[in-house]
Amino acid sequence: MLKPDRPLLVGLLFLLGLSGLARGAADTGVDFANYSHDEALAHSQAAIGNTLHDIELTRSDGSAVSISDYRGKPLVISMIFSSCHHVCPSTTQYLQQVVDKAQSVLGDDSFQVISVGFDTANDSPERMARFRTSIGISNQRWDFLAGDENSIAALTEQLGFIYYSSARGFDHLVQASVIDAEGRVYRQVYGMSFPTPALVEPLKQLVFGQPTAPSTVDYLSNRIRLFCTVYDPATDTYHIDISVFIGTFVGLMVSLLFGRVLIREWRRSIEASQ
């Protein structure tokens, strides 16, 4: 189970208070309102490894969808509420920027993204559709979903996502959960904005870490793409750098050649001594 480095956790718990009413997470019997920063992060981190159940949700066009329908590819899940006027829109727009960077190098169809409204009293499919339009998300591989109380309670528990109603509206942990192709929570990414590799690296590992078919060619191809897909901090982008593989290959060939010369000279020295 892969855990994020401790520095990525510092300062990443964002609480927001905006208008809106809903059943808070405190109704589950857990007093999240009294959670400390470290306890909230620990609760979220403890969800890594959980397998998401077959939870039923509704797309913004009114069609039904299940969490299990997204299996087969990595999935990014972001929990929001549609009446939020700052944090959720800003978080989602920033997430779109990183998703675009990831898709540009991993492939447009390499993973999927969903934003789920946790305010069950207000986050109807229509409201989620308006939220999507208002912040300019046009990615066709990104669904905005609504759910009933039971579905949202089950999903937030499995994701380790903490939220509760407060005098200000909602307080919640700002996180995006990376789910593997089998539906297991693989990584948690925190904050309104975060370093691009915090999301792209786990996606890269999931996309290129296993071959799409049980063949040596696919496996080797994926391993090459895994190591040759590199991050450029100067431009905050990823690109394929084949020189990484070429350098490794050349180094290996030189080592083999050098080894062969040593073995040949060793054999000559033995023959000369006989």
Side-chain angles (χ1 to χ4, degrees):
M1 180 164 48
L2 189 60
K3 300 284 188 178
D5 294 335
R6 180 65 184 176
L8 291 178
L9 301 180
V10 178
L12 297 176
L13 181 62
F14 286 85
L15 298 179
L16 60 94
L18 298 171
S19 60
L21 297 173
R23 185 183 60 85
D27 294 343
T28 64
V30 180
D31 188 9
F32 289 145
N34 292 323
Y35 262 37
S36 69
H37 177 274
D38 288 342
E39 288 171 333
L41 289 173
H43 181 82
S44 173
Q45 286 290 294
I48 294 178
N50 286 352
T51 297
L52 302 186
H53 298 163
D54 196 12
I55 298 169
E56 298 294 329
L57 299 167
T58 305
R59 294 189 178 94
S60 55
D61 63 3
S63 61
V65 66
S66 171
I67 288 293
S68 64
D69 293 334
Y70 294 98
R71 290 190 181 178
K73 295 179 182 178
L75 172 68
V76 178
I77 302 179
S78 172
M79 303 298 298
I80 63 168
F81 69 102
S82 62
S83 60
C84 179
H85 299 296
H86 174 60
V87 174
C88 290
S90 297
T91 298
T92 307
Q93 289 171 331
Y94 181 80
L95 180 60
Q96 180 186 31
Q97 296 175 28
V98 181
V99 165
D100 288 345
K101 294 172 186 176
Q103 289 180 332
S104 69
V105 70
L106 302 180
D108 289 342
D109 200 34
S110 58
F111 64 94
Q112 304 165 98
V113 187
I114 61 174
S115 291
V116 183
F118 63 79
D119 180 1
T120 57
N122 295 291
D123 289 342
S124 64
E126 295 77 16
R127 288 283 294 270
M128 295 300 290
R130 288 199 294 271
F131 180 87
R132 174 188 187 126
T133 301
S134 67
I135 61 174
I137 304 297
S138 58
N139 191 324
Q140 295 305 306
R141 295 172 183 84
W142 189 331
D143 289 338
F144 282 70
L145 309 177
D148 60 26
E149 290 188 0
N150 291 335
S151 296
I152 297 303
L155 181 60
T156 55
E157 174 60 27
Q158 291 164 36
L159 292 176
F161 175 73
I162 291 178
Y163 75 100
Y164 58 91
S165 56
S166 68
R168 297 171 299 177
F170 280 115
D171 289 348
H172 69 86
L173 186 66
V174 177
Q175 75 178 42
S177 300
V178 179
I179 314 300
D180 69 18
E182 286 72 45
R184 294 184 296 265
V185 180
Y186 182 71
R187 185 74 65 87
Q188 307 281 31
V189 181
Y190 304 100
M192 289 177 63
S193 61
F194 47 82
T196 296
L199 181 68
V200 180
E201 285 299 318
L203 287 172
K204 186 176 76 171
Q205 292 160 12
L206 292 174
V207 172
F208 296 149
Q210 296 294 331
T212 55
S215 73
T216 303
V217 173
D218 284 336
Y219 178 77
L220 291 177
S221 174
N222 276 2
R223 300 311 290 177
I224 292 171
R225 294 170 73 187
L226 175 63
F227 291 110
C228 293
T229 302
V230 297
Y231 175 68
D232 181 2
T235 60
D236 191 29
T237 57
Y238 276 80
H239 64 278
I240 303 296
D241 185 1
I242 196 66
S243 65
V244 176
F245 174 72
I246 293 175
T248 302
F249 179 76
V250 170
L252 179 61
M253 291 299 101
V254 170
S255 298
L256 291 174
L257 181 61
F258 184 67
R260 183 177 179 180
V261 171
L262 285 178
I263 293 173
R264 185 172 59 189
E265 292 301 316
W266 174 71
R267 286 177 176 174
R268 285 180 178 177
S269 66
I270 292 177
E271 292 173 355
S273 64
Q274 292 178 348

